[in-house]
């Protein structure tokens, strides 16, 4: 239970940090913000990697699910960062 | 090693925060995005160092498949299709979280057999939550994509969907209670059933929402995709996932509330109120009667003459501009007017287009300098000094009824005050009502002219007429 409370504390504090930072993003950049956060939410790849790393307690099914999860999360990461970069470069040049 | 890995996740989270901070200015945004990408790399390396990772071949296969698909999409997608892309990526993110939670459940089962894992209540709740949020985000997002593409129309049986939602929520609660209290370890079938239930729930939650409200839904699902990641973090006990997921969750929530404010509606009303045109819309004949003989139609040639002498010109882009892909023609016309000494600005309503900031990206693609894009509150006082305001495929966001007619269903919604301009030129394909399903009084005002046609075509004709003058 202590672990849970610690995680919950981190979660709540991180939400506040997020609100503070994101409130300052101007409306002009809201679309790149959304695609950028799409990329960041690909962080679940971390969980997927651990699941498909093939240690003794994984099963065939859990490995299959893990690899599928890696593929999906990587789509998010790669497409998200690349398309955000594409958009932001349009804003940069004058 | 454990310490190194956790510090890696912390560094990644800090880089994400700094990356988003970079997004607060267009000048630093590219670097910010690169910082976030670096953070992701750090997190992935940290995950690969985990004790549980002993073989790499499956991981590499997954990364190669996903990377190739992702790169292909990012290169190919047109800027006008960004709302669909973001919605699809939300769904994919939710799907990934769902898969991670399911895979982890299976592993925990095995661990419990080996006597190395004892399920707790908070673990059970986290498993259920990550399945719920992940599955709802997955199917809800793809329904949203269909609605954005216009492939899925506004649902007629709003009641039926609400009924299914209530029923599946009740079933979900019962299932979750059994799972957490009675048997968290040997419940494969129950978990599979709950996943199916949550997938159905996602469909039925988004189906009754009108196509016009998709910007809000996409922003909300963006938030869910982050929360799904955070929930997966609770299941795995991984703080890196929790921090990052909550950042994304916060971002989506903020954008959702901005969108709702700009439409003067509450989130509950958007999510459960059904489609707006359904409840308040007028019939086709009422719509025709409203405009009958009162609209002054004009042509591209007349528009060119009008612009020839104009000093202050404001473009008001809407969804029609995106559909017609008219951003480059707009920029070209603006460039000509600037050469003649006119001052050109672009008025951006927060809900113009199909997602937050959609118009800004389209105009940036056409190389419009971002300081010419003016937000609603800043541009509204300037309309009284504007010679010509050109409305390109926008409707409800310039309807004066929102400010003046207390009986109008959109009364109170903040609008762009284009009707204060000396002349308003509305470029629109026809007189059909906008998303709200109501006629627009602006079109029959004395100072407004209508040029019927596709925005791109009309602007190109205006450009050539202007050259001939």
């Amino acid at each position: 239970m202590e672990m849970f409370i610690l995680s919950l504390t981190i979660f709540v504090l991180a939400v506040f940090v997020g609100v503070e930072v994101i409130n300052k993003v101007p409306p002009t950049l809201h679309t790149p913000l959304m695609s950028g956060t799409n990329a960041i939410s690909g962080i679940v790849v971390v969980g997927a990697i651990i699941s498909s790393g093939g240690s003794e307690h994984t099963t065939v099914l859990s490995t299959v699910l893990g690899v599928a999860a890696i593929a999906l999360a990587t789509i998010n990461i790669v497409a998200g960062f690349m398309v955000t970069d594409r958009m932001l470069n349009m804003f940069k040049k004058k | 090693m454990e310490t190194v890995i956790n510090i890696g996740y912390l560094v990644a989270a800090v880089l994400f925060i700094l990356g988003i901070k970079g997004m607060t200015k267009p000048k630093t945004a590219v670097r910010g995005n690169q910082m976030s990408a670096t953070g992701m790399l750090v997190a992935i390396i940290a995950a690969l160092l985990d004790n549980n990772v002993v073989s790499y071949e499956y991981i590499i296969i997954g990364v190669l498949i996903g990377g190739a698909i992702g790169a292909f999409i990012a290169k190919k997608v047109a800027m006008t299709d960004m709302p669909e892309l973001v919605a699809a990526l939300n769904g994919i993110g939710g799907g990934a979280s769902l898969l991670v939670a399911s895979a982890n459940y299976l592993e925990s089962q095995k661990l419990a057999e080996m006597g190395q894992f004892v399920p707790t209540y908070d673990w059970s709740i986290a498993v259920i939550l990550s399945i719920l949020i992940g599955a709802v985000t997955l199917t809800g997002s793809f329904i949203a994509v269909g609605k954005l593409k216009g492939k899925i129309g506004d649902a007629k049986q709003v009641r039926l969907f609400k009924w299914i939602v209530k029923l599946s929520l009740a079933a979900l609660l019962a299932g979750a209670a059994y799972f957490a209290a009675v048997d968290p370890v040997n419940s494969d079938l129950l978990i599979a059933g709950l996943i199916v239930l949550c997938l159905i729930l996602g469909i039925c939650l988004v189906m009754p929402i009108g196509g016009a409200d998709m910007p809000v839904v996409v922003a909300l699902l963006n938030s869910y995709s982050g929360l799904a990641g955070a929930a997966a973090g609770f299941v795995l006990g991984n703080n890196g996932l929790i921090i990052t997921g909550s950042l994304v969750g916060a971002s989506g929530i903020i954008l959702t509330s901005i969108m709702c404010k700009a439409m003067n509606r509450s989130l509950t009303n958007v999510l459960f109120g059904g489609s707006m045109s359904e409840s308040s819309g007028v019939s086709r004949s009422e719509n025709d009667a409203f405009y009958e003989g009162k609209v002054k139609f004009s042509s591209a040639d007349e528009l060119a003459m009008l612009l020839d002498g104009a000093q202050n010109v404001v473009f008001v882009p809407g969804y029609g501009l995106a559909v017609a892909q008219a951003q480059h023609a707009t920029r070209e016309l603006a460039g000509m007017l600037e050469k003649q000494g006119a001052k050109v600005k672009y008025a951006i309503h927060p809900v113009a287009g199909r997602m937050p900031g959609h118009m800004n990206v389209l105009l940036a693609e056409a190389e419009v300098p971002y300081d010419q894009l003016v937000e609603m509150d800043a541009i509204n006082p300037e309309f009284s000094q504007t010679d010509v305001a050109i409305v390109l495929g926008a409707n409800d966001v310039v309807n004066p009824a929102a400010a003046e007619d207390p009986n109008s269903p959109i009364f109170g919604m903040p609008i762009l005050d284009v009707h204060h301009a000396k002349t308003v030129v509305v470029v629109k394909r026809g007189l059909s009502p906008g998303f709200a399903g109501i006629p627009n009084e602006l079109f029959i005002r004395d100072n407004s002219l209508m040029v019927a046609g596709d925005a791109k075509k009309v602007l190109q004709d205006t450009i050539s007429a202007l050259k001939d003058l």
Side-chain angles (χ1 to χ4, degrees):
Chain A
M1 206 65 191
E2 261 160 42
M3 177 68 193
F4 174 71
I5 293 297
L6 184 68
S7 299
L8 193 66
T9 312
I10 290 171
F11 174 73
V12 173
L13 292 180
V15 169
F16 276 96
V17 172
V19 169
E20 278 306 308
V21 178
I22 287 146
N23 257 330
K24 296 200 182 83
V25 177
T28 299
L29 294 180
H30 276 168
T31 296
L33 172 68
M34 285 179 89
S35 59
T37 50
N38 269 154
I40 293 176
S41 69
I43 186 78
V44 284
V45 78
V46 166
I49 286 175
I50 296 171
S51 283
S52 46
S55 63
E56 56 201 9
H57 57 267
T58 53
T59 63
V60 177
L61 185 56
S62 79
T63 310
V64 171
L65 293 178
V67 172
I70 290 184
L72 291 185
T74 316
I75 293 180
N76 256 20
I77 295 169
V78 174
F81 282 127
M82 278 178 69
V83 90
T84 309
D85 189 64
R86 220 178 111 191
M87 276 190 272
L88 291 175
N89 274 309
M90 292 172 186
F91 282 98
K92 208 174 161 193
K93 65 187 171 202
K94 275 236 172 176
Chain B
M1 204 56 179
E2 191 76 351
T3 322
V4 176
I5 292 172
N6 279 319
I7 288 177
Y9 291 144
L10 181 64
V11 170
V14 170
L15 283 170
F16 291 144
I17 295 172
L18 291 176
I20 295 178
K21 216 169 164 222
M23 290 253 198
T24 50
K25 286 190 201 84
K27 279 201 178 107
T28 55
V30 174
R31 236 172 57 102
N33 190 48
Q34 286 161 357
M35 271 171 126
S36 301
T38 315
M40 188 59 76
L41 194 66
V42 172
I44 291 174
I45 292 171
L48 290 174
L49 292 176
D50 196 288
N51 296 339
N52 285 321
V53 180
V54 287
S55 67
Y56 295 93
E57 58 265 45
Y58 293 124
I59 297 175
I60 293 169
I61 292 173
V63 167
L64 286 180
I65 296 174
I69 298 175
F72 178 77
I73 298 174
K75 289 261 183 241
K76 281 277 166 193
V77 66
M79 283 301 128
T80 40
D81 293 334
M82 276 314 292
E84 286 93 331
L85 177 68
V86 167
L89 290 181
N90 286 340
I92 294 172
S97 304
L98 174 63
L99 290 176
V100 168
S102 315
N104 181 266
Y105 177 73
L106 293 172
E107 284 170 32
S108 305
Q109 246 179 357
K110 194 83 180 281
L111 277 174
E113 259 172 48
M114 288 153 61
Q116 291 174 19
F117 175 76
V118 182
T120 55
Y121 284 123
D122 45 273
W123 176 83
S124 313
I125 294 168
V127 168
I128 296 287
L129 274 183
S130 59
I131 286 174
L132 170 67
I133 307 174
V136 166
T137 313
L138 173 64
T139 48
S141 295
F142 282 97
I143 297 291
V145 172
K147 291 208 168 206
L148 285 167
K149 279 192 182 296
K151 294 229 168 83
I152 302 175
D154 285 356
K156 295 277 176 285
Q157 312 92 334
V158 173
R159 271 212 178 138
L160 175 70
F161 285 117
K162 280 187 188 165
W163 195 75
I164 302 177
V165 166
K166 279 178 199 154
L167 205 68
S168 21
L169 275 177
L172 179 68
L173 269 179
Y178 179 86
F179 173 75
V182 183
D183 191 3
V185 178
N186 302 305
S187 306
D188 296 29
L189 270 179
L190 179 65
I191 286 289
L194 288 181
I195 292 175
V196 173
L197 201 63
C198 294
L199 291 171
I200 296 174
L201 188 62
I203 296 174
C204 295
L205 277 171
V206 179
M207 272 310 279
I209 304 174
D213 294 328
M214 282 306 123
V216 181
V217 176
V218 173
L220 189 66
L221 289 168
N222 190 233
S223 170
Y224 285 176
S225 74
L227 294 178
F234 275 99
V235 175
L236 301 171
N238 183 317
N239 289 334
L241 264 176
I242 295 177
I243 298 175
T244 315
S246 51
L247 282 179
V248 177
S251 159
I253 286 288
I254 291 173
L255 293 175
T256 308
S257 92
I258 292 174
M259 294 284 103
C260 283
K261 256 185 219 145
M263 298 199 300
N264 191 37
R265 293 172 69 190
S266 71
L267 185 57
T268 349
N269 182 273
V270 172
L271 294 183
F272 303 109
S275 126
M276 230 177 146
S277 53
E278 200 70 30
S279 49
S280 63
V282 296
S283 70
R284 181 163 273 273
S285 56
E286 280 175 306
N287 188 54
D288 291 347
F290 183 87
Y291 293 122
E292 182 77 59
K294 295 177 204 153
V295 180
K296 292 190 289 295
F297 283 99
S298 181
S299 65
D301 293 340
E302 270 184 48
L303 175 56
M305 276 187 266
L306 200 62
L307 288 173
D308 195 33
Q311 286 303 307
N312 287 303
V313 179
V314 177
F315 287 96
V316 183
Y319 184 57
L321 175 127
V323 174
Q325 306 254 14
Q327 64 271 35
H328 298 283
T330 310
R331 170 67 182 139
E332 196 186 341
L333 179 60
M336 287 177 75
L337 297 174
E338 281 175 327
K339 267 198 200 124
Q340 295 177 1
K343 271 180 86 179
V344 177
K345 282 178 183 165
Y346 301 80
I348 313 288
H349 192 279
V351 292
R354 283 292 175 91
M355 73 183 292
H358 191 194
M359 289 299 124
N360 306 68
V361 168
L362 289 185
L363 293 169
E365 187 192 15
E367 298 183 25
V368 172
Y370 57 77
D371 46 15
Q372 286 187 0
L373 309 177
V374 190
E375 284 167 46
M376 179 169 63
D377 294 334
I379 193 93
N380 268 345
E382 292 187 26
F383 276 116
S384 49
Q385 288 109 50
T386 301
D387 296 315
V388 184
I390 305 176
V391 180
L392 297 164
N395 191 347
D396 296 327
V397 295
V398 293
N399 191 340
E404 295 165 1
D405 177 8
N407 296 320
S408 170
I410 59 166
F411 182 70
M413 175 175 126
I415 54 158
L416 290 163
D417 297 328
V418 288
H419 54 283
H420 292 157
K422 266 182 217 125
T423 311
V424 184
V425 179
V426 181
V427 179
K428 211 173 168 303
R429 274 176 299 180
L431 285 170
S432 57
F435 293 137
I438 52 171
N440 193 337
E441 200 205 311
L442 174 75
F443 304 163
I444 56 172
R445 292 224 167 175
D446 292 338
N447 61 340
S448 71
L449 294 172
M450 180 116 188
V451 182
D454 173 82
K456 188 172 170 185
K457 179 86 179 40
V458 169
L459 290 173
Q460 281 167 344
D461 290 349
T462 311
I463 291 166
S464 47
L466 205 57
K467 278 180 188 154
D468 293 341
L469 278 179

